[in-house]
Amino acid sequence: MFGLGFSEILVILGMCLIVLGPERLPQLAKTLGRALGELRRASDEFKREISSSVLLTERDAFKEEIRDIRKLIAEPTKLEKSQLNTITAAATDESVANGESASPHTHEE
């Protein structure tokens, strides 16, 4: 606790007892206890607020990453469909130009 040993704390308490007297020392201890409790509650609230803020920021960043990944997945799919349609159209045009039917041939002999 603040780098103070047991003997230093006893010296400080003894000096407080001499300076304040036995009548006011309990009141001082009560006031210090309340102040430390209030400080601890404020500190805990601050920690909760910071943690909450960090979690919200991380959540938003995570959602943004998911959106980006979905876009990356969707773009190649659209591109592949477009390329497939182009290749299919070119093959159909080539078949028609060669006089072939678009449907499969069946030969019965």
Side-chain angles (χ1 to χ4, degrees):
M1 171 165 86
F2 304 117
L4 297 175
F6 186 70
S7 59
E8 287 96 357
I9 293 174
L10 282 178
V11 170
I12 292 170
L13 289 175
M15 292 191 63
C16 286
L17 182 61
I18 292 170
V19 172
L20 296 174
E23 298 86 25
R24 293 193 307 188
L25 193 58
Q27 183 63 31
L28 176 67
K30 187 177 181 181
T31 303
L32 282 175
R34 285 183 182 161
L36 288 174
E38 196 61 37
L39 183 62
R40 178 172 285 150
R41 281 189 289 277
S43 174
D44 289 344
E45 179 65 27
F46 181 72
K47 288 177 187 176
R48 277 193 299 273
E49 287 294 324
I50 293 296
S51 294
S52 175
S53 177
V54 167
L55 287 175
L56 288 174
T57 303
E58 288 176 352
R59 185 195 70 189
D60 292 342
F62 185 67
K63 283 183 176 180
E64 187 65 31
E65 284 183 41
I66 289 174
R67 265 189 238 116
D68 292 344
I69 290 170
R70 284 182 178 163
K71 285 180 185 177
L72 289 173
I73 290 171
E75 286 175 7
T77 304
K78 290 178 185 176
L79 181 61
E80 289 168 358
K81 285 181 182 178
S82 173
Q83 289 174 341
L84 183 61
N85 289 339
T86 303
I87 292 169
T88 304
T92 303
D93 291 342
E94 189 175 317
S95 295
V96 171
N98 291 335
E100 299 175 2
S101 168
S103 62
H105 298 321
T106 56
H107 295 278
E108 293 182 25
E109 292 183 31

